[in-house]
Amino acid sequence: MQFTGLYNFLHDKDAFLYQKVTADSKITNIRLSNGIFDALYVSTNPSLEQYTNGAPKNWDTDTVMKSAFENTCSSNKSQIDLQAIDGLAIKKRINNSHGDNGKWTTIYIQPIENEADFSFTFIDYLCKNNCEYQYNIVPVANGIESYHNNVRTVTSSFDGIHLTDGQKQYGTTFDIQSNYGRKTSSTTVMPINSRYPVTVKNGHLNYSSGNITARFLKMNDDDTADTDNGYPYRKEVVDFLSESNVLVLKNYDGFIGIISLENDISEDFGEHILAPKISFSWVQVGDAEDAKQLKGFGLIRGGDRYEYN
């Protein structure tokens, strides 16, 4: 790309060049020379009009490059202006769903203070089995999210049962015995002069509870069980279960819920002394598909100043 002899004697502090270009081939290089430049803004929007006081202040989906020449030249790998945001929000929803499940919910916010903060890894443990999710990453400025079309579709699929606190996860597929039922606030009254009882439902209680027995085994790289050194791992699992106030339980049948363990955790060495079965009872205390509840229980993170919608 070459512009020659354009506006040679611009001297005002707010003076700027504005040029629309039609290229026969892909533009791969831009060079500025023989001048003092305060900013460069390149956009693929052909209808972008000339601004009265310089280049656009913010990035949009058509922005290719925006630089203030402060010892750096930002490109559009993220299409997000570092100077205009203070975070990146990861949002999730169930694909092709309606109602509450079809709404985007924020599951993590990465604070952005410098360019290095754009490089991060986030693992979403809060997915149920056999479900297709959509993810989007959007910029956040002053606690307000802006829409950005960077949607990706991911299918969650796993075997066995898994328990997570949102930061780490333990699961197993070995010798699982799992049962659970639904609890309500209904009671049955037996009238004196009636053949049939009367059911009275007071309140809105509607939750699950159950029991799990399974072997939690440390696995080798070749997918064989390391039973000889299984105790440290088993202790790690039991400590995780006993020290967590709440967890998210994910069952292979598609159940997912925020739970709390009841009573004691037991280990049965009867069948295999090096690989005992671990048993515990649990009660559901929240909805694992409600981002506000997850935030309230500390199962998703990202800063108290952000609204989880």
Side-chain angles (χ1 to χ4, degrees), residues 32 44 110 114 123 218 235:
L32 298 177
T44 58
Q110 166 75 2
N114 51 60
I123 301 175
K218 180 183 171 87
K235 182 179 183 301

Side-chain angles (χ1 to χ4, degrees), residues 161-163 212 247-251 255-259 282:
I161 58 169
H162 299 266
L163 297 113
I212 291 176
L247 295 168
V248 171
L249 169 64
K250 304 185 297 181
N251 204 0
F255 173 85
I256 184 170
I258 304 173
I259 68 163
W282 58 269

